[in-house]
Amino acid sequence: MADYNECKFEQELCEALAASGWRYSKNDDGYDQALALYPADALAWLSETQPDELGKLIKHSDSSAAQEKARTALMQRLAKSLDQPLAQGGGTLSVLRKGFKDGAAKFEMCQFKPADTLNSTTLDRYSKVRLRVMRQVHYSTKNRNSLDLVFFVNGLPVATLELKTDFTQNVEDAKIQYKKDRDPKGEPLLTFGHRALVHFAVSNEEVYMTTKLAGDSTYFLPFNKGDDGRAGNPINPEGSKTAYLWETVFQKDNWLQILGRFMHLSIENPIDPVTGEQSKRESLLFPRYHQWESVSKLIDSAKAEGPGHKYLIQHSAGSGKTNSIAWTAHQLSTLHGEDGKKVFDSVIVVTDRTILDDQLSSAIQQIDHKTGVVAAIDNKQGSKSTALADALSANKPIIVVTMQTFPFILGQIQESSAAKGKNFAIIADEAHSSQTGNTASTLKKVLSDEDWKSLQDGGEIDVEDLLAAEMANRADPGNISFFAYTATPKAKTMELFGRVGESGKPEPFHVYTMQQAIEEGFILDVLQNYTPYKLAFKLTHNGQDYDSEGLQVAQNAALKELMYWVRLHPTNIASKVSIIIEHFRENVAWRLDGKAKAMVVTGSRKEAVRYKLAFDNYIKQHGYADVKAMVAFSGEVEDLENSPAPFNEANMNPDLRGRKLAEAFKTEEFQVMLVANKFQTGFDQPLLASMYVDKKLSGVTAVQTLSRLNRTARGKDTTFVLDFVNDPNEILEAFEPYFRDARLSDVTDPNLVHDIANKLDHSGIYDQSEVEAVAKAFVEKRGNSKLSASLAQAKDRFWKKYEGAERANNRLELDRLDDFRKSLDAFTKTYDFLSQLYNYGDTDLEKKAIFCRLLAKEVRNTRRNEAIDLSSVELTKLGFKKNDTVSLNLTGDKAELKPLTDVGSGKPHDPLMASLREAIEKMNTLFDGEFTPGDYEVLVNAVTTKAAEDEKIKKQATSGNTLEQFLESPDLKTVLLTALLTSSDNLKAMGDEVLGDDQKLSRLVKIIGTVLHARMAS
């Protein structure tokens, strides 16, 4: 077993380093415990690279004793420089980068790899950097404790390592050893930042690291590669799973890159979210493995490929994206090609994270000793134009802009004289921001109708949609590279920014999965305590009964309005508020030392207003002093049933006292935030421990919304989701694609554009000469009148057909014309998207896109879907059933994002008829589920056919009779019974059941008659 012990492992590791150019000390001979230096290497470095400066202190004419004394004094001076406060330029990192002074001499202690290869002197100095690994270092002057390995750069210790072989111990033993037996007090080598910069706990299986030893409070971060999307490391057929550490990370170029281009000191004054105490915190930022790997690969690829390329980085929440973006931006801003020229004149970072400005500036000042590298362009319309022009003209290395400013920025760097002939890198931070002005209108091109409605109702911009919209507006630029960071890429983002991989489909450039982040403890799994509630209700409207099942699946606009009425009903909201507040007080409020918080996600701004009124009322009635809610929504909301004046955030949150909502929510004054779109995405509050969902969520929106809960905080190990609307299986399905790496099921067929164009061309609404005329007028900017005249014939032709179909009650023709409308939008959106992926080389398609976009505005549906009269609606029954709390277990297996499929071919739902699906649900309840939905659909069709043959029925339905009058017709019952008794066996069976039950027969007549009246009367 001797070959399997820790000693042998140490030897193998060190010999591998020696083979790659490291100097190897088998013991600690020559190590100075008091100074915590290896003086021989430090002096050799100075002698080889700066002999003239060294000669100022150590003269060749002096005696050996005098020279030795001078060397000792020099090393003491070096140690004293290292011992200076970190914020004042002391510590290993600062001395390696800036050097130190001794009298008249100034010394550089390291040469990092230069950005280009033009300076041979610099390259020669880089080749002389001394890397050393030393075994069994007795670091202490107080005892005989030793560290397994210490790593030096030019005699300065930069890292330590405790090694455990999994044959006898594991990585946890190494971590415990650091915590229990490596007390940094009084030990120069272990003092934070002043000698060793990072400490590794390593086994055959795993690697962890920390930059600060603090006894039992020491916090280790994983430094593992990840194993197929999971935590840990993959099997290495050639050796230990952790061999990448010494074979790759400690390779000279990589190791010095980390020390020279990644590590930096961060000084913060954080407020503990649990205790509320403010403190000063100095931390040394050392990249986690995925951060180092992703940034390094991006830089290498950008150098090899030059500008004009796209990179998609799928990094989960908890991945440290802010730091990754900062490192990427800085290294791109100094990147040089093989010809020695800068690859990018400026790097533009699109983000709403204000912390990034300061973080970038601080890091760059430490790494490059430069100020003024970062320029931030604010969103003030009057100043941004000048500020941007100045930044571009001055070749500012890094320009930080907001999402709202980005469309303006992109236009400037493609069109302004200040940017002519220059190359740019654009880094898009996954961020969300309130929609404004031109940004929102640009987004309309790429958003679904549902997403657009949400955005207009106070929703937030998704950077992926913004990028897609802007790229759809402009030709693919050859002077701009895009670097898109996101945790939840959409299918269109994958196709726009992904790179074709082994699957033959676009894939992310680099991935750090949600699964790995959860398993490594950087975020929480928010689906482990998921409690769905089922709403059951009944209401009447004009004598007709409706129930929850029918309305919740209704497609008809009028019936949707009834469902919205139910959602806003005071009884409904008050019932949910009661459940929410009592659950919060019993299960959540006491957590995190009584500082846990919750979010309530409502379906609309008006619902948010009524939730706040109900919340305040319930708290007042029950005398609760431990729960207080704020509400967040955009603009103003009119709700005359509750106030003659409109509601807004200011008058609904009187206790804000000028504070921003997010800042006020951090305090102990507020425990619950009620939201309508706002703060639903991109909001980071670690104390959020529970979410109450009263809004339909799907796809990436579900993931982004529930992920507000996943942030970690001290003592936070449990989250709760109570859902009043969504199916747990659908929520699980939404999360699955993002648990591992996002994958496309297929790529969008480029021929979709041709298919929709062909369908439009055969509509009979326009001819090619009209397309040509409209496109010419648009391109030549002939003015509004000329453009309107060019569209007039197609517009007139459409409306004549439409009005004729309405007069003739031609449902088939009306459906066809509604489908034409949809196809116009479908063509433009599909063409805008696919033309970024494929070069069609077809000017006719571009002309048709102009024509369709303009014609769509002229043939909008403005007359159908009339509002339903809600004055006679009554809620007769309402209740909630709590289902079992479940753990929705993610696997990531076979979960794929769907690309664009055949679009523009859907049929519009008839807004003048009651939902067939609703009628089927009612019949299913009437017959206690004895028959199938197919049977009920056959019944509706059979009755419709019989009624169409009956002149009396036709006259009663089409002569202006109301629904109530029509339902009273005895002829209706006769037609229904005839259909039941003269058709299939199942219909006869239904007839037999209702013949002996007048009440059941009356209900069936009402259900079928409602459908029949809507069909025949419209």
Side-chain angles (χ1 to χ4, degrees):
M1 287 292 292
D3 286 346
Y4 305 124
N5 63 24
E6 185 181 307
C7 184
K8 184 64 176 178
F9 194 6
E10 278 183 26
Q11 181 181 335
E12 291 173 357
L13 190 159
C14 292
E15 288 176 350
L17 288 175
S20 68
W22 283 68
R23 289 171 166 82
Y24 172 22
S25 295
K26 297 182 180 180
N27 55 51
D28 62 359
D29 289 349
Y31 174 72
D32 189 314
Q33 293 174 332
L35 299 179
L37 296 170
Y38 188 72
D41 275 357
L43 292 165
W45 158 256
L46 295 176
S47 178
E48 290 178 9
T49 61
Q50 301 151 81
D52 293 341
E53 292 298 305
L54 189 62
K56 294 177 182 179
L57 301 178
I58 305 174
K59 304 184 183 301
H60 293 296
S61 58
D62 287 348
S63 65
S64 298
Q67 290 180 3
E68 183 60 30
K69 184 177 180 181
R71 280 191 285 269
T72 300
L74 177 59
M75 290 298 97
Q76 290 173 340
R77 173 60 188 167
L78 172 57
K80 188 173 182 179
S81 298
L82 292 167
D83 291 335
Q84 293 298 308
L86 301 184
Q88 298 176 23
T92 299
L93 203 55
S94 181
V95 170
L96 282 173
R97 290 171 175 166
K98 298 180 181 180
F100 72 103
K101 295 178 180 179
D102 188 353
K106 181 179 179 181
F107 298 105
E108 302 294 332
M109 283 309 298
C110 190
Q111 175 63 61
F112 295 102
K113 191 173 184 178
D116 57 59
T117 59
L118 301 180
N119 191 321
S120 58
T121 301
T122 304
L123 289 172
D124 180 64
R125 180 177 285 196
Y126 178 71
S127 70
K128 292 176 179 176
V129 172
R130 290 170 169 252
L131 303 183
R132 181 177 297 276
V133 58
M134 181 180 291
R135 292 177 65 183
Q136 294 304 314
V137 179
H138 295 83
Y139 63 88
S140 178
T141 57
K142 297 181 290 186
N143 53 53
R144 291 295 294 166
N145 284 354
S146 66
L147 286 153
D148 289 341
L149 300 175
V150 177
F151 301 84
F152 298 84
V153 173
N154 293 332
L156 277 64
V158 292
T160 73
L161 188 151
E162 288 290 356
L163 196 65
K164 303 298 176 187
T165 173
D166 288 304
F167 291 108
T168 57
Q169 294 177 296
N170 60 39
V171 72
E172 293 301 319
D173 294 297
K175 290 158 69 174
I176 291 171
Q177 191 168 19
Y178 269 121
K179 292 180 178 182
K180 301 295 184 182
D181 301 330
R182 303 290 178 258
D183 186 354
K185 293 178 182 177
E187 303 291 358
L189 178 64
L190 305 182
T191 303
F192 169 67
H194 291 286
R195 294 298 190 278
L197 300 171
V198 60
H199 309 276
F200 291 100
V202 182
S203 72
N204 301 95
E205 299 280 330
E206 294 188 87
V207 179
Y208 283 79
M209 57 85 176
T210 184
T211 58
K212 187 172 187 176
L213 296 178
D216 289 335
S217 299
T218 302
Y219 181 60
F220 281 93
L221 294 170
F223 194 76
N224 296 312
K225 297 177 70 172
D227 184 9
D228 189 29
R230 299 181 291 269
N233 291 299
I235 292 173
N236 175 11
E238 304 298 325
S240 297
K241 289 183 177 182
T242 54
Y244 65 89
L245 180 65
W246 51 92
E247 292 175 355
T248 304
V249 178
F250 284 147
Q251 188 271 335
K252 178 181 177 179
D253 289 346
N254 294 336
W255 183 238
L256 291 178
Q257 178 207 35
I258 291 174
L259 298 178
R261 310 284 288 175
F262 281 88
M263 286 200 75
H264 62 274
L265 179 69
S266 172
I267 301 176
E268 301 174 302
N269 297 294
I271 298 176
D272 189 300
V274 176
T275 66
E277 296 178 357
Q278 186 173 29
S279 61
K280 180 179 179 180
R281 183 171 66 199
E282 289 185 332
S283 57
L284 279 170
L285 299 181
F286 190 95
R288 286 149 61 187
Y289 183 87
H290 72 271
Q291 293 175 310
W292 169 73
E293 181 185 57
S294 64
V295 174
S296 299
K297 285 186 173 181
L298 285 170
I299 300 304
D300 290 345
S301 293
K303 181 173 184 176
E305 297 172 351
H309 296 273
K310 300 170 186 173
Y311 308 83
L312 176 63
I313 303 95
Q314 182 194 341
H315 281 190
S316 166
S319 67
K321 277 194 290 290
T322 301
N323 286 326
S324 295
I325 289 169
W327 286 318
T328 301
H330 174 233
Q331 294 189 37
L332 287 174
S333 72
T334 58
L335 182 63
H336 289 68
E338 295 299 335
D339 58 1
K341 297 180 180 178
K342 285 190 71 175
V343 177
F344 302 107
D345 293 277
S346 292
V347 178
I348 297 170
V349 183
V350 186
T351 182
D352 276 5
R353 303 184 200 215
T354 54
I355 188 175
L356 198 57
D357 296 353
D358 295 336
Q359 199 161 350
L360 268 169
S361 298
S362 175
I364 290 167
Q365 187 172 353
Q366 292 181 51
I367 294 170
D368 284 346
H369 329 311
K370 296 177 182 177
T371 58
V373 173
V374 180
I377 309 298
D378 62 30
N379 200 38
K380 296 176 182 177
Q381 191 69 28
S383 64
K384 68 181 179 183
S385 178
T386 302
L388 178 62
D390 292 344
L392 293 174
S393 298
N395 287 337
K396 278 284 186 180
I398 299 175
I399 302 171
V400 181
V401 304
T402 64
M403 289 178 64
Q404 294 94 334
T405 306
F406 174 66
F408 171 80
I409 298 293
L410 189 57
Q412 288 293 296
I413 65 177
Q414 289 188 267
E415 299 161 11
S416 72
S417 57
K420 190 174 182 180
K422 296 180 180 179
N423 297 319
F424 300 92
I426 293 180
I427 301 176
D429 177 15
E430 179 183 55
H432 303 81
S433 177
S434 298
Q435 61 92 7
T436 54
N438 292 334
T439 304
S441 59
T442 300
L443 284 172
K444 191 170 185 179
K445 281 189 173 187
V446 296
L447 294 179
S448 67
D449 291 341
E450 183 178 346
D451 288 341
W452 173 247
K453 182 179 178 181
S454 174
L455 187 63
Q456 291 297 94
D457 196 28
E460 297 176 323
I461 295 170
D462 187 318
V463 71
E464 297 177 46
D465 291 326
L466 180 59
L467 280 174
E470 284 304 319
M471 291 170 71
N473 274 345
R474 308 171 190 277
D476 200 9
N479 67 326
I480 301 175
S481 286
F482 290 92
F483 300 79
Y485 280 81
T486 177
T488 50
K490 300 176 182 177
K492 65 186 176 188
T493 313
M494 293 280 284
E495 293 201 66
L496 279 173
F497 293 97
R499 297 188 165 209
V500 176
E502 294 180 2
S503 66
K505 292 173 285 192
E507 299 172 355
F509 181 86
H510 193 270
V511 176
Y512 176 76
T513 68
M514 181 192 298
Q515 181 177 9
Q516 187 172 350
I518 290 171
E519 291 180 0
E520 290 183 341
F522 290 104
I523 58 174
L524 299 173
D525 185 348
V526 300
L527 300 183
Q528 288 306 298
N529 287 294
Y530 191 98
T531 307
Y533 277 74
K534 188 173 182 64
L535 169 65
F537 65 84
K538 287 188 180 296
L539 56 83
T540 61
H541 176 246
N542 293 333
Q544 181 171 352
D545 293 329
Y546 294 87
D547 60 26
S548 51
E549 293 299 324
L551 285 182
Q552 286 174 346
V553 301
Q555 298 298 316
N556 173 282
L559 297 182
K560 282 184 176 180
E561 192 171 349
L562 279 179
M563 186 64 216
Y564 185 54
W565 182 88
V566 173
R567 292 182 57 78
L568 286 171
H569 197 282
T571 303
N572 180 25
I573 290 179
S575 298
K576 285 181 281 194
V577 163
S578 171
I579 293 170
I580 291 168
I581 292 177
E582 297 304 336
H583 177 274
F584 178 78
R585 296 184 74 244
E586 182 176 347
N587 299 282
V588 184
W590 51 270
R591 296 177 183 273
L592 303 177
D593 292 343
K595 296 180 174 62
K597 297 179 182 292
M599 178 179 282
V600 181
V601 179
T602 71
S604 68
R605 295 185 302 152
K606 197 168 187 178
E607 288 175 68
V609 166
R610 294 198 175 183
Y611 255 100
K612 179 65 164 61
L613 297 174
F615 229 87
D616 292 347
N617 184 56
Y618 188 91
I619 290 169
K620 182 179 180 180
Q621 285 182 350
H622 290 76
Y624 291 157
D626 56 349
V627 184
K628 187 174 182 180
M630 62 167 54
V631 65
F633 59 89
S634 64
E636 292 190 333
V637 176
E638 288 191 2
D639 186 2
L640 297 178
E641 294 180 37
N642 287 293
S643 170
F647 292 96
N648 55 46
E649 285 182 343
N651 60 33
M652 295 211 81
N653 298 299
D655 295 332
L656 285 179
R657 299 185 295 278
R659 295 171 293 177
K660 293 182 178 179
L661 267 71
E663 292 301 314
F665 194 53
K666 291 179 181 179
T667 69
E668 295 184 32
E669 186 176 355
F670 297 95
Q671 292 74 40
V672 180
M673 180 183 278
L674 310 165
V675 303
N677 289 314
K678 231 176 161 183
F679 296 109
Q680 193 175 315
T681 55
F683 178 56
D684 190 357
Q685 171 48 262
L687 295 180
L688 272 181
S690 187
M691 182 173 286
Y692 305 93
V693 181
D694 194 20
K695 177 182 180 178
K696 188 67 177 175
L697 300 174
S698 62
V700 67
T701 303
V703 179
Q704 292 173 343
T705 300
L706 296 184
S707 291
R708 296 311 97 216
L709 288 175
N710 68 17
R711 302 307 193 265
T712 57
R714 184 167 53 86
K716 180 179 174 183
D717 57 6
T718 303
T719 62
F720 300 89
V721 176
L722 269 65
D723 196 326
F724 296 100
V725 179
N726 299 284
D727 183 331
N729 291 323
E730 292 178 1
I731 295 295
L732 182 62
E733 184 179 342
F735 269 79
E736 284 287 7
Y738 304 110
F739 189 54
R740 305 288 292 278
D741 58 318
R743 286 163 281 170
L744 283 168
S745 61
D746 202 351
V747 293
T748 303
D749 182 358
N751 290 313
L752 273 180
V753 165
H754 301 307
D755 293 341
I756 304 172
N758 187 57
K759 177 181 176 182
L760 287 168
D761 289 346
H762 287 80
S763 65
I765 304 296
Y766 63 86
D767 59 40
Q768 187 60 32
S769 65
E770 293 164 3
V771 174
E772 296 281 347
V774 169
K776 186 175 182 180
F778 180 82
V779 172
E780 294 179 358
K781 299 180 180 178
R782 294 189 177 185
N784 184 275
S785 296
K786 185 67 177 177
L787 200 58
S788 179
S790 302
L791 278 167
Q793 286 183 307
K795 173 184 175 182
D796 187 58
R797 199 174 292 124
F798 175 87
W799 284 115
K800 282 182 178 178
K801 287 177 178 285
Y802 201 92
E803 289 162 2
E806 283 188 320
R807 284 194 300 271
N809 192 28
N810 188 337
R811 307 303 314 164
L812 187 63
E813 177 68 359
L814 287 171
D815 281 351
R816 189 182 72 82
L817 292 167
D818 279 333
D819 184 44
F820 174 79
R821 284 174 167 144
K822 289 187 176 182
S823 295
L824 289 173
D825 286 331
F827 177 80
T828 56
K829 287 187 177 182
T830 305
Y831 178 71
D832 286 344
F833 173 65
L834 287 174
S835 60
Q836 300 171 68
L837 304 178
Y838 304 98
N839 180 11
Y840 285 102
D842 185 349
T843 57
D844 286 344
L845 286 176
E846 184 64 35
K847 293 174 184 176
K848 188 161 277 130
I850 294 170
F851 175 80
C852 290
R853 188 172 286 114
L854 294 171
L855 182 60
K857 297 176 181 179
E858 301 289 343
V859 297
R860 284 197 186 107
N861 183 355
T862 58
R863 288 179 287 178
R864 302 180 81 193
N865 296 334
E866 296 179 0
I868 190 171
D869 177 15
L870 297 172
S871 61
S872 61
V873 180
E874 294 183 12
L875 185 66
T876 59
K877 176 183 175 182
L878 182 137
F880 290 94
K881 178 186 177 184
K882 178 183 177 183
N883 293 329
D884 292 338
T885 299
V886 293
S887 293
L888 304 179
N889 296 315
L890 291 159
T891 65
D893 295 339
K894 299 180 181 179
E896 296 176 320
L897 299 172
K898 303 295 189 292
L900 279 178
T901 54
D902 192 13
V903 288
S905 59
K907 300 296 181 187
H909 295 277
D910 187 347
L912 300 178
M913 63 173 280
S915 168
L916 172 62
R917 193 168 177 181
E918 179 195 352
I920 289 172
E921 292 290 340
K922 289 182 179 297
M923 282 187 275
N924 201 39
T925 303
L926 182 65
F927 291 105
D928 296 324
E930 182 179 347
F931 305 101
T932 69
D935 294 330
Y936 302 135
E937 191 164 354
V938 169
L939 172 59
V940 173
N941 292 330
V943 174
T944 304
T945 301
K946 290 290 183 185
E949 298 170 353
D950 190 299
E951 291 301 324
K952 290 182 180 179
I953 289 291
K954 287 174 63 176
K955 185 175 181 180
Q956 290 166 1
T958 59
S959 60
N961 287 322
T962 65
L963 173 62
E964 289 73 17
Q965 291 169 329
F966 180 71
L967 293 176
E968 291 173 359
S969 168
D971 299 311
L972 177 61
K973 184 182 295 185
T974 301
V975 169
L976 171 62
L977 289 174
T978 301
L980 284 170
L981 299 175
T982 60
S983 191
S984 66
D985 290 341
N986 276 358
L987 293 194
K988 290 178 183 177
M990 290 185 216
D992 291 340
E993 183 166 338
V994 299
L995 278 175
D997 190 331
D998 288 340
Q999 187 175 5
K1000 186 170 285 190
L1001 178 59
S1002 297
R1003 287 185 61 194
L1004 186 59
V1005 169
K1006 184 181 290 187
I1007 294 170
I1008 300 296
T1010 302
V1011 177
L1012 186 59
H1013 181 266
R1015 284 192 178 181
M1016 300 185 73
S1018 56

